[in-house]
Amino acid sequence: MRASLADQDDGQLSCLAAAVAQALQRPDTLAIALGANLPSPAGEPADTLLAVRPLLEQMLQGWAQASLLFRWSPLLQTAPVGGPPGQCQYSNGVLLVELPPALAVKAAPSPSAVALDPTGCDATGWDATECNATGPHGLDSAALDLLQGLQRLEAEFGRPPQPERQHWGPRSLDLDLLWWGDLELDLPATSATPALQLPHPLWQQRSFVLEPLATLIAAGCADGHAVSQLSQSPRNAPDGSIGTA
């Protein structure tokens, strides 16, 4: 019997994280983790994660203003660890979004490697350093717009605003932005915008994120979509929230 990821040591988890990052974390991908362990207006946690899919795809298409390819992992059941006692099990999954070249975010090349236009972007996508501070349409603004879109969807499914949340507490829907290409951000919260750190500092340490991501490596997904199904047997994993709230 294969040990669950939660039973593996840190070295094994690190190896899996490295394999996932190498296979999936590319300049032209964006990843979002989904989790829930409370009922929502859509029903039980697994029902919520299925119900939010078309809304999430619609929001992302509007944000990108471009055609996107969506790859959904299976849903897994995970046991909560940490946070208040007595929490119910979580349903968890991930969405991998394959981006068009214009939305790819590449690590900054050497100055002689590419000629940037006055906005700081080359013809094949954003440069992660030069575009980061470019005015209201720069990468930081685009990433914050995406995060706020995720938070609006959380609210639609009954999650309270940040000041009312219990630290590592149960939630009706949790949507976490894991990475956007090679973009590195560490933006503090302001009166108008939430804090945002990219890549998410904990995604490579969370077995409930790594396990569904790993299924996308094997899936192939010729049509860009992985079939979603709830695991028939619970799997042990850290708590179903990846964030710090």
Side-chain angles (χ1 to χ4, degrees):
M1 180 180 296
R2 182 180 65 84
S4 70
L5 295 182
D7 297 329
Q8 297 184 13
D9 60 32
D10 290 343
Q12 291 172 308
L13 206 59
S14 295
C15 287
L16 179 62
V20 168
Q22 182 178 16
L24 300 178
Q25 190 178 14
R26 307 187 308 267
D28 64 343
T29 64
L30 178 152
I32 295 168
L34 302 86
N37 75 333
L38 290 178
S40 79
E44 295 302 312
D47 300 321
T48 299
L49 298 194
L50 295 176
V52 77
R53 288 186 173 196
L55 302 179
L56 184 52
E57 290 188 359
Q58 182 181 34
M59 186 274 288
L60 287 165
Q61 296 278 16
W63 169 79
Q65 293 295 295
S67 296
L68 304 174
L69 191 63
F70 300 104
R71 296 179 58 187
W72 292 94
S73 79
L75 300 183
L76 305 178
Q77 285 185 306
T78 65
V81 175
Q87 291 193 62
C88 298
Q89 287 193 324
Y90 281 80
S91 292
N92 289 106
V94 294
L95 167 61
L96 186 74
V97 184
E98 297 190 7
L99 304 168
L103 288 174
V105 181
K106 301 174 293 184
S110 63
S112 61
V114 62
L116 296 170
D117 70 20
T119 67
C121 305
D122 67 27
T124 59
W126 296 86
D127 172 84
T129 296
E130 299 295 333
C131 288
N132 185 24
T134 1
H137 301 296
L139 281 175
D140 52 352
S141 179
L144 284 169
D145 286 345
L146 176 54
L147 176 61
Q148 290 173 310
L150 297 178
Q151 292 179 341
R152 286 191 292 271
L153 282 177
E154 290 177 339
E156 285 187 35
F157 286 85
R159 192 172 189 191
Q162 187 77 28
E164 301 175 20
R165 297 177 186 176
Q166 185 178 22
H167 185 59
W168 285 338
R171 68 274 326 265
S172 55
L173 179 62
D174 192 21
L175 299 172
D176 284 299
L177 183 57
L178 304 180
W179 72 74
W180 175 11
D182 294 332
L183 180 60
E184 294 184 3
L185 285 180
D186 192 359
L187 303 177
T190 70
S191 58
T193 59
L196 175 60
Q197 189 172 355
L198 288 176
H200 194 291
L202 298 178
W203 80 264
Q204 295 194 29
Q205 304 170 30
R206 301 304 204 194
S207 57
F208 59 83
V209 172
L210 291 171
E211 187 168 6
L213 279 170
T215 66
L216 296 180
I217 300 176
C221 300
D223 64 351
H225 289 75
V227 176
S228 172
Q229 59 184 11
L230 185 64
S231 174
Q232 295 301 307
S233 59
R235 305 188 187 191
N236 295 325
D239 69 1
S241 65
I242 189 173
T244 57

